[in-house]
Amino acid sequence: MMKNLKIKTLLLCLFISLQSCQQIIDQAEENKAQENFTSEFMGYYSGSYTGDISGSLTVTVRKDATVEVTRSTAGNPDTYVTSLVMSSFNGVSQSPQGFMLIGNMQTKKGTWQQGNLKGTWAITKN
């Protein structure tokens, strides 16, 4: 009976050990996939926004699909970092002044909002 318990305990420990190894392998594969990922929209873009207020825009899409958006505002740049979900802006992040782009990088246009102010934007790849 004691020998049977020792064998079951040993098998249980072995099973847990193998399960942990598989989790480590899965995590390593996921990390490698993230390192190898390059956004199809990576690059530098420029354009403008119009509507209740207007100005110029620059959009930088990084390899990992994070995006830096900078707009001109009477000589003071207003910058924020957001990310793409597929090709669309995440719709949550906004600049310190409350400016936010809504739209996607497939069409390179969309709408913007800042509090009650709103309008449209369009960019082209440099």
Side-chain angles (χ1 to χ4, degrees):
M1 174 116 171
M2 188 60 119
K3 184 177 178 182
N4 197 13
L5 182 60
K6 286 181 182 181
I7 291 173
K8 287 181 181 179
T9 303
L10 180 63
L11 288 174
L12 180 61
C13 290
L14 182 62
F15 177 74
I16 291 171
S17 171
L18 290 175
Q19 194 71 352
S20 296
C21 289
Q22 186 60 47
Q23 289 174 341
I24 292 169
I25 291 168
D26 290 346
Q27 185 63 47
E29 288 174 358
E30 184 176 329
N31 290 346
K32 186 174 181 176
Q34 287 177 350
E35 288 173 12
N36 291 335
F37 173 77
T38 299
S39 172
E40 65 183 285
F41 305 106
M42 187 173 126
Y44 301 95
Y45 301 79
S46 60
S48 62
Y49 63 99
T50 59
D52 295 334
I53 55 175
S54 61
S56 63
L57 281 174
T58 59
V59 175
T60 303
V61 180
R62 299 180 185 129
K63 181 181 187 306
D64 65 354
T66 58
V67 181
E68 182 178 84
V69 177
T70 303
R71 70 179 180 118
S72 66
T73 57
N76 292 329
D78 186 22
T79 301
Y80 72 103
V81 175
T82 186
S83 60
L84 296 177
V85 178
M86 305 296 275
S87 65
S88 298
F89 289 93
N90 75 12
V92 176
S93 301
Q94 57 184 319
S95 77
Q97 295 179 14
F99 182 83
M100 166 171 66
L101 294 181
I102 303 160
N104 71 67
M105 294 301 293
Q106 288 282 1
T107 61
K108 298 177 194 67
K109 61 184 176 180
T111 60
W112 63 268
Q113 64 185 39
Q114 181 180 0
N116 293 329
L117 304 174
K118 57 188 170 195
T120 60
W121 62 269
I123 55 175
T124 58
K125 192 168 186 178
N126 297 338

